[in-house]
Amino acid sequence: MEEQQKRNIVIIGGGIIGCTTAYFLTRHPKFNPNLHTITLLEATAIAAGASGKAGGLLALWAYPQSLVPLSYRLHKELAIEHNGAERWGYRRVGCGTITATVTKDDLLARANKTSQPFSALPKREQNGTGLKSNDALPIQSSVSGAPAEGENGSDWQKLPKQDEDATSLLKPSVLPHDLDWFDSTVVQHYQEMGKPGATETAQVHPFHFTTSIAALAQEKGVDIRIGAKVTRLKYNSDKTEIIGLEYEDRKTGELCHIDEVTDVVVSAGPWTGKILPRTKIEGLRAHSVVYKADVTPYAVFTDIMLPADFVPEHRARKGQKRRHKRNVDPEVYARPFGEVYACGEPDPSIPLPETADLVQCDEDQCDDLTAYMGTVSPVLGTAPIKAKQACYLPRHMRFGSERDPVIGQSYVKGLWIASGHTCWGIQNGPGTGCLMAEMIMDGEAKSADIGELEPKKYKV
């Protein structure tokens, strides 16, 4: 029998990747609590960032495909083993895209039913067009990119949920009869994900899933230290091997040290690039809202054409114009536990803060989301709002464009990287954690071939 060596493993980051890595290390056949020490360091709280504020969508059509099938299967197995349906809301959902055109008459009719005001663009002065100051000017759609006169809105920028391969799987369909929380009178088209059995879609509640996986890892002996912000990695004299690290205890301000480490896994989401700048992993802010509403389980990508003179009520009250042109594309997911989650476009204007608890939320952007969703869903238009929030997606940026996540060992012995999953961190968390455990304990990834994701490919 092969003699096992002592290992002192430190995981940086209490998001889904760090927590699943800790979980699968403790479930690995070679894990021996008498020989192996696992410490997880988190600067704020478990699931404080995107892992607690994501949508929780799981899909076989996600990317990268080298990782997706394994991770999707592991989600199902984890749910069976640990009662995930009740503990973190694991379930299958329908998924598709709607195209809707909303007219001023539609909104006026809705307002008459709900006593909600309809706002047009702020009044303009008399101009040379022949229109009075409160008449609506025609606006070209975002396809042409030409804004209307007097409008300073921008094109809606989609989150990178659907790549070309995923989009090609859509097939025309009628609006499902049980998708009754959308207004069928404004929806022209519904496209359902095709290839039954090959393009399944499911979901979890991301906060409950991440915190549950962390608790399961802790039960097996993982030392989780909250408020531990890593400030420095320690290397040997020629920087070819990791030997320790330093972190700040944010409660006391004390600098703490962990020495004689054998492995460090940097899975700090968008903060990975702060710890290891050469990874080229950075954060991209995205806003979302959570409704209190119990609706049928669907994940819906929208394409909404708004009236030419529509402006969200919260902006009209401030005398502002709307932020976007006529086409907007929010995503909305019914969630377990009586919630509906909607998210909007990425926002690159605010840089990544030092820690997740310092993330700023622009409430106006959240209110834009609720205004847009209210034009196509009377249910959401009147539902209470449980949360308005923002988080940063971890993006792996190389050569000016977004790349696949980075998973594996760097050129430094014992230094591992698992980050850059963008909006598919929850989907790909179990697969990443499983493979990280295999690479650390077995010396190689056995459950999937992810050579294309190795840090060494990018000279990290």
Side-chain angles (χ1 to χ4, degrees):
M1 181 181 291
E2 179 184 354
E3 183 178 353
Q4 293 193 56
Q5 301 295 318
K6 287 187 176 182
R7 301 193 88 106
N8 185 9
I9 305 168
V10 180
I11 300 169
I12 303 174
I16 188 58
I17 306 301
C19 292
T20 52
T21 298
Y23 171 90
F24 280 101
L25 279 169
T26 63
R27 268 68 179 179
H28 193 280
K30 293 180 181 178
F31 175 72
N32 182 342
N34 296 319
L35 290 175
H36 305 136
T37 301
I38 304 173
T39 306
L40 187 150
L41 305 177
E42 165 53 44
T44 304
I46 298 299
S51 295
K53 297 179 173 66
L57 191 65
L58 316 175
L60 279 172
W61 45 265
Y63 55 86
Q65 273 299 304
S66 60
L67 182 59
V68 166
L70 168 66
S71 203
Y72 191 90
R73 173 173 61 81
L74 288 174
H75 266 291
K76 183 176 181 179
E77 293 175 1
L78 287 168
I80 293 172
E81 182 177 356
H82 299 294
N83 193 21
E86 292 187 14
R87 192 165 183 176
W88 56 75
Y90 176 84
R91 65 180 183 180
R92 291 281 300 275
V93 294
C95 183
T97 296
I98 68 161
T99 302
T101 299
V102 181
T103 68
K104 183 176 179 179
D105 287 342
D106 293 325
L107 296 180
L108 288 172
R110 183 89 51 77
N112 289 335
K113 291 181 180 179
T114 62
S115 300
Q116 295 294 321
F118 164 72
S119 297
L121 289 168
K123 292 184 178 181
R124 288 171 262 106
E125 298 298 325
Q126 182 80 28
N127 52 45
T129 64
L131 295 173
K132 296 180 180 179
S133 60
N134 61 348
D135 285 336
L137 287 171
I139 299 178
Q140 296 183 15
S141 73
S142 59
V143 175
S144 71
E149 181 181 342
E151 184 183 27
N152 62 353
S154 59
D155 287 332
W156 180 277
Q157 303 297 315
K158 290 185 178 181
L159 287 165
K161 265 290 195 301
Q162 296 183 80
D163 59 9
E164 291 183 3
D165 291 337
T167 304
S168 69
L169 296 172
L170 293 168
K171 65 178 182 181
S173 174
V174 296
L175 192 67
H177 71 279
D178 58 341
L179 187 50
D180 54 1
W181 42 287
F182 275 85
D183 183 351
S184 61
T185 65
V186 300
V187 176
Q188 280 79 49
H189 304 286
Y190 177 84
Q191 288 183 296
E192 182 183 359
M193 280 294 174
K195 297 185 180 178
T199 52
E200 290 181 13
T201 307
Q203 70 179 166
V204 296
H205 191 294
F207 180 81
H208 294 301
F209 178 62
T210 305
T211 54
S212 293
I213 291 297
L216 290 166
Q218 195 170 31
E219 289 173 6
K220 291 291 186 178
V222 174
D223 178 7
I224 297 180
R225 303 183 187 180
I226 301 300
K229 179 187 175 186
V230 173
T231 53
R232 183 167 65 95
L233 301 181
K234 300 179 183 180
Y235 305 92
N236 64 354
S237 58
D238 58 2
K239 294 189 175 181
T240 58
E241 184 175 355
I242 193 82
I243 60 173
L245 55 79
E246 173 188 272
Y247 70 88
E248 175 193 354
D249 184 327
R250 296 182 67 203
K251 292 182 180 178
T252 66
E254 177 185 2
L255 285 180
C256 305
H257 301 265
I258 303 179
D259 297 315
E260 299 181 357
V261 304
T262 57
D263 304 272
V264 172
V265 181
V266 184
S267 53
W271 288 274
T272 298
K274 297 273 190 181
I275 299 169
L276 295 172
R278 289 186 62 183
T279 60
K280 301 296 182 183
I281 291 172
E282 59 185 44
L284 179 66
R285 189 172 72 160
H287 286 81
S288 57
V289 294
V290 180
Y291 299 87
K292 184 178 181 181
D294 191 5
V295 299
T296 51
Y298 277 90
V300 182
F301 300 89
T302 71
D303 181 2
I304 306 168
M305 174 72 81
L306 296 168
D309 53 355
F310 172 81
V311 62
E313 176 63 22
H314 66 284
R315 294 196 181 274
R317 287 196 304 267
K318 298 178 182 180
Q320 298 176 356
K321 300 173 183 176
R322 65 181 177 208
R323 184 166 176 258
H324 300 99
K325 299 176 185 177
R326 292 185 69 181
N327 274 92
V328 295
D329 305 276
E331 303 167 12
V332 58
Y333 317 136
R335 288 213 303 207
F337 313 128
E339 291 184 0
V340 177
Y341 173 94
C343 59
E345 63 182 346
D347 170 22
S349 62
I350 306 297
L352 183 72
E354 284 298 310
T355 51
D357 53 342
L358 299 178
V359 172
Q360 299 177 24
C361 176
D362 182 347
E363 197 163 316
D364 280 342
Q365 292 197 43
C366 293
D367 290 341
D368 285 337
L369 267 174
T370 59
Y372 299 150
M373 289 310 307
T375 66
V376 293
S377 172
V379 172
L380 298 185
T382 56
I385 304 296
K386 291 183 64 174
K388 299 177 183 179
Q389 56 195 18
C391 63
Y392 283 79
L393 306 176
R395 299 193 302 168
H396 175 212
M397 301 297 293
R398 288 278 169 175
F399 315 115
S401 61
E402 188 172 289
R403 304 286 168 168
D404 286 332
V406 181
I407 303 171
Q409 184 169 237
S410 72
Y411 276 111
V412 177
K413 182 181 178 182
L415 180 60
W416 307 83
I417 303 166
S419 189
H421 293 70
T422 60
C423 51
W424 288 117
I426 298 296
Q427 149 64 40
N428 291 327
T432 301
C434 172
L435 294 167
M436 286 301 306
E438 292 176 351
M439 286 186 281
I440 292 172
M441 303 302 286
D442 298 323
E444 62 178 331
K446 295 183 175 181
S447 296
D449 180 1
I450 56 166
E452 63 180 7
L453 309 180
E454 288 184 359
K456 293 178 181 179
K457 175 183 176 182
Y458 301 102
K459 298 182 179 180
V460 177

